[in-house]
């Protein structure tokens, strides 16, 4: 579909990449990866036709449609959510108008036997078929489905777009793009403004309904679930792998090792040949052999080893003096905006040194509670206490966008640095990959990831013992994310991470607070323990619980029949329900017994010398343990339901 040939891009006579050639085929799912500033967003702009390359050709068929979602865009204010999303169907509305015009002509004209009238009928039939194929009659259902999938409720449809935050308005633009169903989708960091539920919906949409997709994302789980091909931009060149991201990481390492071995072997061969030539160059008896070796040397195709971009972020959060044992205590905390309840009855205690995650759908109160802790919001109910000697460091979601674009990188840091630290500004910038000329770049020319890194430096200038990070991984590349994760892990203080990045949270947090339905629930363990506990492998069911008022009314409605005298039909229905739940409990108990027996057998095998070295036994053991946990959870739910029905 799209053919790229000999592409080269230069900035200030410095090549960003050169000699780039590849093809985007129909149904390709391509992940465009590389470090921040490697040229990923530039590549998408060239494919979208918004930027011209210095050299090379991008061939796009005339009938091929392209949809492009940039990282940052200007959004309109004057329409409702529904009206704005309907702009995706402008072509359908135009076609509808044309069909109505032709229909009117057919009704008005009387020359039924003329060739022109027949042509008009044929054209009308053809256009009408096209209209139906393009979903002209059911576009409304598709529109609503897409908006709801991206997190909008029906109540939001008629609200003006200006009432929504930048993140939600980006979702509207994403919805418009998906609804147009272009032949090639170009997405630049589409998950940055999405909660985990919406990310899951987008994953499913791209995997099942989209045509060709080229996307830039630093969400490893998202890339693995959507893409089947990985193109890496590194050191001005591209490397194309027909595999998903995790497999690409392994193959890239293997490729480099093979190249190194082949390079070393060739260098030894060249050295031996050159030594022979040098030794016998002036011996007449060896003249023929020397000439032969010289020709042989000239014919050798020199093996080149791929350059490796070793520049990396060196990041360490410095913990200041020790805080009290309980940095944050919330007691019956409540926050509402008018009639809209954000959360109520929030009781939580965070211990010193704990690393916890706030997860949940956007708009459920994660950032609101963070602002309460930061004392930016004071009109809340209940009691919120900060512990002794707590020194807060806060990284806001839009921190990178708050930077002054007219300043250079150096000036940005120079203006906030105080004391002796000012003497080390260059060293600090170098550690954050802003060494040399990069420190003199204007903020406005920096990529999203580079801006995030710069905002992170500002956070590091003040030593703290309590870090609150609101979506810190937005725009960061894989390597920078891994380094940030390690830095948080090694930080001695307390950390709250608000994030939708499953891979980033995995192995980092020991406690998860789930926001939803006006409540905040505590879950012990990591993010995947939480997902498993919820009996889901994604957060698709997160926040689908009813509001507290709804659930109370539902509970009273459910318990009412049991309190009152039941009719024969109601009693019959209840007995049927009871039998069903009793059967579920019995089935679960039988499965638990079987699984425990299988685990005991495996453990006996693992205790033997042969079994101790058999990794497959350990894998089966892990799988069975996970299965057992799931069944036990199901049994607990069924038992609670049975008790409720019997009570």
């Amino acid at each position: 579909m799209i053919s790229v040939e000999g592409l080269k891009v230069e900035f200030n006579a410095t090549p960003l990449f050169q000699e780039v050639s590849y093809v985007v085929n129909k149904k390709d799912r391509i992940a465009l990866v590389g470090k921040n500033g490697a040229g990923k967003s530039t590549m998408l702009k060239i494919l979208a036709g918004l930027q011209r390359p210095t050299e090379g050709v991008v061939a796009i068929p005339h009938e091929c449609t392209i949809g492009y979602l940039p990282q940052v865009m200007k959004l309109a204010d004057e329409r409702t959510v529904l009206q704005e999303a309907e702009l995706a169907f402008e072509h359908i509305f135009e076609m509808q108008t044309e069909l109505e015009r032709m229909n009117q002509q057919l009704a008005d004209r009387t020359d039924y036997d003329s060739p022109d009238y027949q042509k008009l009928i044929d054209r009308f039939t053809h256009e009408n078929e096209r209209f139906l194929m393009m979903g002209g009659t059911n576009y409304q259902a598709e529109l609503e489905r897409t908006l709801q999938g991206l997190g909008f409720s029906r109540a939001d449809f008629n609200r003006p777009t200006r009432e929504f935050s930048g993140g939600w308005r980006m979702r509207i633009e994403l919805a418009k793009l998906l609804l147009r169903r272009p032949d090639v989708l170009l997405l630049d960091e589409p998950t940055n403004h999405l909660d985990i539920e919406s990310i899951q919906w987008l994953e499913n949409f791209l995997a099942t309904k989209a045509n060709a997709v080229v996307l830039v994302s630093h969400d490893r789980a998202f890339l693995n679930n959507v893409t089947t091909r990985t193109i890496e931009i590194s050191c001005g060149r591209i490397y194309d792998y027909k595999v998903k991201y995790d497999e690409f990481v392994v193959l890239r390492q293997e490729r480099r090792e093979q190249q190194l071995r082949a390079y070393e072997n060739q260098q030894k061969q060249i050295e031996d040949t050159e030594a022979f030539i040098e030794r016998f160059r002036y011996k007449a008896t060896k003249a023929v052999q020397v000439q032969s070796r010289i020709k042989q040397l000239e014919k050798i195709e020199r093996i080149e080893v791929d350059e490796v971009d070793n520049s990396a972020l060196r990041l360490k959060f410095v913990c200041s003096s020790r805080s009290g044992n309980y940095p944050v205590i919330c007691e019956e905390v409540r926050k509402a905006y008018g009639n809209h309840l954000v959360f109520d009855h929030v009781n939580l205690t965070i211990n010193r040194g704990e690393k916890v995650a706030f997860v949940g759908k956007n708009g459920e109160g994660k950032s609101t509670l963070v602002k309460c802790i930061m004392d930016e919001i004071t009109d809340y109910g209940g009691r919120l206490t900060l512990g002794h000697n707590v020194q807060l460091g806060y990284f806001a979601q839009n921190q990178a966008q708050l930077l002054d674009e007219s300043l250079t990188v150096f000036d940005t840091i120079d203006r906030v640095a105080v004391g002796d630290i000012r003497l080390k500004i260059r060293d600090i910038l170098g550690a954050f990959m802003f060494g040399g000329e990069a420190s003199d770049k204007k903020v406005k020319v920096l990529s999203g990831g580079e801006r995030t890194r710069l905002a992170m430096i500002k956070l590091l200038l003040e030593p703290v013992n309590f870090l609150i990070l609101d979506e810190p991984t937005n725009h960061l590349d894989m390597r920078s994310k891994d380094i940030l994760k390690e830095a948080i892990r090694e930080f001695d203080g307390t950390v709250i991470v608000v994030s939708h990045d499953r891979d980033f949270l995995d192995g980092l947090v020991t406690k998860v607070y789930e926001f939803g339905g006006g409540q905040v629930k505590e879950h012990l363990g990591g993010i995947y323990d939480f997902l498993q506990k919820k009996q889901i492998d994604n957060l698709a069911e997160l926040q689908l619980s009813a509001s507290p008022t709804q659930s109370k009314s539902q509970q009273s409605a459910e318990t009412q029949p049991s309190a009152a005298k039941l009719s024969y039909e109601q009693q019959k229905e209840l007995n049927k329900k009871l039998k069903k739940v009793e059967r579920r409990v019995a089935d679960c108990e039988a499965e638990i017994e079987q699984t425990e027996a299988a685990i005991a057998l495996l453990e006996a095998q693992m205790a033997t010398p042969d079994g101790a070295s058999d990794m497959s036994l350990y894998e089966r053991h892990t799988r069975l343990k996970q299965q057992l946990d799931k069944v036990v959870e199901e049994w607990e739910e069924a038992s609670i339901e049975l008790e409720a029905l019997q009570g």
Side-chain angles (χ1 to χ4, degrees):
M1 280 168 72
I2 298 179
S3 176
V4 177
E5 197 69 44
L7 212 64
K8 180 181 182 181
V9 174
E10 285 183 348
F11 285 115
N12 299 329
T14 306
L16 186 63
F17 45 74
Q18 53 191 345
E19 296 176 16
V20 169
S21 299
Y22 61 95
V23 174
V24 179
N25 303 302
K26 199 175 179 181
K27 292 293 180 185
D28 263 351
R29 305 275 188 273
I30 300 173
L32 205 57
V33 301
K35 59 172 276 193
N36 290 136
K40 303 186 296 293
S41 295
T42 303
M43 182 71 79
L44 288 187
K45 284 175 187 172
I46 290 169
L47 293 177
L50 301 175
Q51 187 172 324
R52 292 180 68 83
T54 311
E55 289 178 18
V57 177
V58 178
I60 303 170
H62 181 66
E63 70 278 1
C64 180
T65 54
I66 291 176
Y68 172 56
L69 182 80
Q71 278 187 31
V72 182
M73 62 172 65
K74 290 180 181 175
L75 305 161
D77 275 339
E78 63 275 4
R79 301 184 186 92
T80 66
V81 171
L82 200 63
Q83 286 168 344
E84 189 66 35
E86 279 179 345
L87 294 177
F89 298 104
E90 278 181 311
H91 60 294
I92 285 180
F93 299 148
E94 286 170 12
M95 205 179 282
Q96 198 168 13
T97 307
E98 180 63 16
L99 282 169
E100 285 169 5
R101 191 186 62 78
M102 283 194 284
N103 199 33
Q104 193 60 46
Q105 277 188 319
L106 288 169
D108 294 344
R109 288 174 62 169
T110 55
D111 54 333
Y112 306 123
D113 297 326
S114 68
D116 283 348
Y117 193 86
Q118 195 57 48
K119 279 180 185 173
L120 184 62
I121 290 173
D122 292 342
R123 218 171 97 234
F124 178 82
T125 308
H126 177 70
E127 289 298 311
N128 194 49
E129 282 175 1
R130 265 187 71 213
F131 178 75
L132 293 171
M133 281 172 70
M134 290 171 77
T137 53
N138 62 349
Y139 75 90
Q140 198 74 31
E142 184 69 18
L143 191 151
E144 289 181 11
R145 204 160 40 242
T146 303
L147 285 173
Q148 286 178 319
L150 289 170
F152 292 94
S153 66
R154 285 187 180 275
D156 295 328
F157 288 179
N158 294 317
R159 284 174 62 192
T161 55
R162 62 176 172 272
E163 292 183 8
F164 292 86
S165 67
W168 281 96
R169 290 165 78 182
M170 284 292 284
R171 293 188 189 207
I172 299 169
E173 293 302 311
L174 179 59
K176 283 159 66 176
L177 197 62
L178 298 179
L179 287 164
R180 285 192 183 110
R181 299 281 178 90
D183 296 318
V184 183
L185 265 174
L186 308 174
L187 305 176
D188 198 351
E189 300 282 5
T191 62
N192 275 356
H193 302 287
L194 300 182
D195 52 52
I196 300 179
E197 182 185 339
S198 300
I199 290 172
Q200 191 65 31
W201 180 89
L202 182 60
E203 282 176 1
N204 185 52
F205 182 94
L206 294 176
T208 57
K209 294 186 180 178
N211 297 312
V213 179
V214 183
L215 66 91
V216 174
S217 178
H218 298 132
D219 185 330
R220 197 188 299 253
F222 180 71
L223 286 180
N224 281 321
N225 291 338
V226 173
T227 62
T228 54
R229 181 178 165 194
T230 306
I231 295 178
E232 182 191 27
I233 303 175
S234 178
C235 300
R237 299 175 65 186
I238 71 154
Y239 303 94
D240 197 344
Y241 296 82
K242 303 287 191 292
V243 292
K244 59 178 67 177
Y245 183 81
D246 277 354
E247 292 172 53
F248 146 74
V249 173
V250 175
L251 288 175
R252 179 178 58 181
Q253 186 59 33
E254 286 176 0
R255 172 178 167 166
R256 180 158 171 80
E257 285 171 2
Q258 287 170 359
Q259 279 184 334
L260 276 170
R261 282 197 296 273
Y263 176 78
E264 286 165 5
N265 291 336
Q266 191 180 66
Q267 288 302 304
K268 191 175 181 310
Q269 185 189 342
I270 290 168
E271 280 172 22
D272 291 345
T273 307
E274 284 175 343
F276 181 90
I277 294 166
E278 198 59 40
R279 188 177 172 190
F280 299 111
R281 186 184 290 276
Y282 305 108
K283 287 197 176 183
T285 54
K286 299 280 187 180
V288 176
Q289 286 170 287
V290 167
Q291 285 302 313
S292 172
R293 295 291 173 95
I294 290 170
K295 284 178 184 175
Q296 190 182 331
L297 202 59
E298 287 169 355
K299 286 179 183 176
I300 290 176
E301 284 189 28
R302 306 289 170 122
I303 294 169
E304 290 182 11
V305 180
D306 294 342
E307 290 179 74
V308 175
D309 200 336
N310 289 315
S311 57
L313 183 63
R314 295 186 294 280
L315 182 56
K316 187 169 175 64
F317 292 105
V318 180
C319 187
S320 65
S321 55
R322 187 181 171 99
S323 72
N325 287 336
Y326 306 107
V328 176
I329 300 172
C330 293
E331 297 170 278
E332 296 295 319
V333 174
R334 181 183 194 275
K335 176 65 187 159
Y337 293 103
N339 294 326
H340 175 61
L341 179 71
V342 182
F343 45 70
D344 198 3
H345 304 298
V346 176
N347 294 288
L348 62 89
T349 301
I350 297 175
N351 301 318
R352 186 184 63 242
E354 271 190 331
K355 293 168 180 64
V356 305
F358 285 3
V359 303
K361 191 175 177 181
N362 289 346
E364 293 288 357
K366 302 186 299 293
S367 296
T368 304
L369 186 57
V370 164
K371 285 174 181 172
C372 293
I373 295 169
M374 292 296 301
D375 210 28
E376 288 180 17
I377 294 175
T378 54
D379 59 337
Y380 54 83
R383 192 173 168 206
L384 197 157
T385 313
L386 288 185
H388 170 68
N389 197 32
V390 168
Q391 292 168 312
L392 283 164
Y394 179 44
F395 184 89
Q397 199 170 15
N398 62 340
Q399 203 81 36
Q401 276 74 51
L402 299 174
L403 298 170
D404 188 339
E405 293 193 341
S406 63
L407 298 177
T408 65
V409 170
F410 182 87
D411 290 338
T412 302
I413 302 306
D414 190 46
R415 289 196 178 189
V416 293
V418 289
D420 294 342
I421 199 80
R422 295 192 67 184
L423 303 170
K424 298 179 180 177
I425 288 176
R426 292 281 180 195
D427 295 338
I428 293 168
L429 289 173
F432 277 75
M433 296 186 287
F434 288 118
E437 291 177 7
S439 63
D440 298 322
K441 280 184 178 177
K442 292 272 191 188
V443 171
K444 64 183 177 188
V445 302
L446 298 180
S447 69
E450 289 170 324
R451 290 190 187 205
T452 302
R453 289 209 306 269
L454 190 58
M456 200 71 73
I457 299 175
K458 292 179 75 174
L459 179 63
L460 291 179
L461 289 175
E462 287 293 327
V464 295
N465 53 30
F466 191 163
L467 278 172
I468 300 177
L469 307 171
D470 194 352
E471 298 290 355
T473 61
N474 278 2
H475 306 294
L476 283 183
D477 58 50
M478 304 289 188
R479 208 177 315 175
S480 299
K481 275 166 66 172
D482 288 342
I483 290 157
L484 176 61
K485 185 173 175 177
E486 195 56 39
I488 297 170
R489 244 196 224 121
E490 290 176 5
F491 179 60
D492 291 331
T494 312
V495 184
I496 293 174
V497 185
V498 182
S499 179
H500 300 125
D501 191 327
R502 296 154 289 181
D503 192 70
F504 182 74
L505 293 174
D506 185 31
L508 179 62
V509 299
T510 53
K511 196 186 284 182
V512 175
Y513 287 100
E514 177 197 351
F515 286 68
Q519 298 176 322
V520 179
K521 296 177 187 173
E522 182 183 276
H523 300 269
L524 297 175
I527 188 70
Y528 283 106
D529 293 324
F530 164 65
L531 295 175
Q532 192 179 348
K533 202 171 184 180
K534 302 264 309 170
Q535 293 190 335
I536 46 173
D537 55 1
N538 54 65
L539 294 192
E541 292 174 20
L542 192 61
Q543 306 316 315
L544 297 184
S545 58
S547 67
T549 52
Q550 280 179 310
S551 51
K552 281 175 189 172
S553 62
Q554 283 169 358
Q555 282 170 11
S556 62
E558 285 168 6
T559 54
Q560 204 175 349
S562 60
K565 194 176 179 182
L566 299 176
S567 68
Y568 173 75
E569 285 297 322
Q570 287 173 319
Q571 189 63 55
K572 193 177 171 183
E573 193 63 33
L574 183 64
N575 289 340
K576 204 188 282 182
K577 239 180 180 179
L578 267 168
K579 281 180 183 175
K580 194 177 175 182
V581 177
E582 280 171 353
R583 197 156 55 245
R584 252 180 78 201
V585 170
D587 288 347
C588 287
E589 285 172 349
E591 195 173 344
I592 288 168
E593 200 175 318
Q594 286 173 4
T595 310
E596 283 176 340
I599 289 169
L601 193 68
L602 263 181
E603 285 172 349
Q605 289 177 321
M606 286 157 68
T608 63
D610 289 336
S613 60
D614 190 353
M615 290 310 293
S616 65
L617 292 179
Y618 287 90
E619 286 169 5
R620 278 171 61 199
H621 186 267
T622 305
R623 281 200 302 272
L624 283 169
K625 276 281 193 186
Q626 288 172 346
Q627 188 183 326
L628 181 64
D629 290 344
K630 194 174 175 182
V631 178
V632 167
E633 188 79 24
E634 193 180 335
W635 172 79
E636 284 175 356
E637 280 185 9
S639 300
I640 292 165
E641 194 180 341
L642 185 63
E643 282 175 20
L645 288 167
Q646 288 171 336

